[in-house]
Amino acid sequence: MFLTKVTYSMIKGASVNVLDFGATGDGSTDDTLAIQSAIDLASATGKTVYFPAGTYSVVPATTQEWEGTALGQGLMTTAFVMKSNMSLYGELGATIKLANNCSTLAAPKLLALFFSNSQLSNLSFQGLTFDMNGLNNRISPAAPTTFNRFTQAAIHFSGTIGGIAARGDYVFVDDCKFLNTAGVTCIGMAQSNVASVTIGKYWTVTNCLFKNNGLDSDDHSSIYAYADNVVCENNTFTADTMWPNGFSGNSGSFVAYEVHGANQRFVNNLVRNHYQGMWVSSNQTSDCDNIVIANNTFSPIKFVAIDFYRFSAPESLISKVIIDSNTIGLDDTVQSGVVADLKVAVQINASYSLINIQITNNVCSKVGASKASAFVNLGIPFGVASQKHTNIVIKNNVAIGFSLGVYTQTTATNGIGYVEISGNSFVDFTPQGVFSNPIGVAVDGVSAYDYLVINNNTFTDSAVTPVFQFGVRLTGTVSNLFVGEQAYNRVINEYVEDTFTVSGRRQGVSALTFSALPAQSTWAAGDNAYAYNIAAAGSPEYVIKGWTRITTGSGNVLNTDWLENRVLTGN
């Protein structure tokens, strides 16, 4: 009779078990080499690396050339070098944990558990916990005065210093936990400082937990999605307490997710106790378009839930972004020097053009009165010539407890194109921080809006003594204006044009109602304008109900350009 030694690999069939290669999972033995051996074999044979329950302590010791930041940071030290066709599967309770003191305050290091500076495809991570052990792997000896923005990632791709772009194609991450990193990210899909490189594609990150990360950095983003065709769904990004929740100063859970590619879906995720929820940014290769941000919960958020970044000429266009059916909650905490005067649910405030952005069906709220807030902040604060946001639609949202609803402004350098604000409900706005006059729709600016539509919104104040100061307040310049009927419930000032000019066409009942003969805008023969609050005059007595246009142009002379529409009072 011959006895065959039964190995763990045999028990699991087609998988390769790390215990067969000498890993222990006892939490103290260095299992790095054993796991890498299993990865090398499995990747070459198309098998899955299986991790039984246990804590696998690892020590990064392999240095890899790494592009780093624009300043250059040399080498990455990694525990494992990823391979194409690498598949990892963890039994419940399987944890890969960074050993103590791989990075110290005396000698901080760039670290990764899984790293590549090559071009790989077909990778899978399932059921594993990645514990970066940030308490015992510090990176910022000068904190809180200054922080090192070092990568300490669980999964990371980065190009080489010479500009060869790394990327991962067809990468699947499911049911994993990413815990306790001291550094700037948990998953880095790619990184390149070189224009026109080919970036990765087809990443899926689902059903994962990202918790207590960025512990020793002031610029952490849990997922840096520098790739096309990305699905991020049903994940939780959280921390035990509200940001700042790192070791010192303004460190901790800064941002959950960064878009840096096209065809990305960020859906059904929970983001809580973060400084910001997510950024929609770009890359230097191709347009970042077809972005869907839907059915997520961002609450509580310290500063901005969804923000847009495009601040340099090489960055690609951001277009066709849908922000739909999210729930957003902003807190009222004050963080000196970090949280600006305005907390915002959705901010469109980049220096370079953003186009075709749809914000619909979201429910957003703000608590407290210490910091001012806006549901949407739309503008170009840092003027770059010939840049204009356009095709911005803000529709069918509910905004509760803010000081400003839609707050939009232009600069002397650039105006804004088409903006539609319709069907929204603005509820119980209050004075907050530096903004003492709550406004539902606040339009301001030096340069013109091409076409502004404000229609069918509802403004409500349920306070015993109303404090909602303005429903719609318009200042500045608009080329073409449509203001339809709105619903105002106990708002102090419903519709106000204050030092406001319309150079082109006016449409909509509110935009066509005046307390005196129209004195601006461009009109066509046959147009009608409506009058309000004009005293009765004449004998027999009459009131002016409005005016009818008899010429086409911008002149505004009674009986030359306009005829009065009079109604006798009978007195």
Side-chain angles (χ1 to χ4, degrees), residues 63-68 74-76 115-117 158-163:
T63 56
Q64 296 276 289
E65 191 174 314
W66 182 73
E67 187 174 357
L75 298 176
M76 171 69 69
F115 177 81
S116 177
N117 59 12
S158 178
T160 62
I161 296 173

Side-chain angles (χ1 to χ4, degrees), residues 176 272 516:
C176 292
R272 62 185 297 271

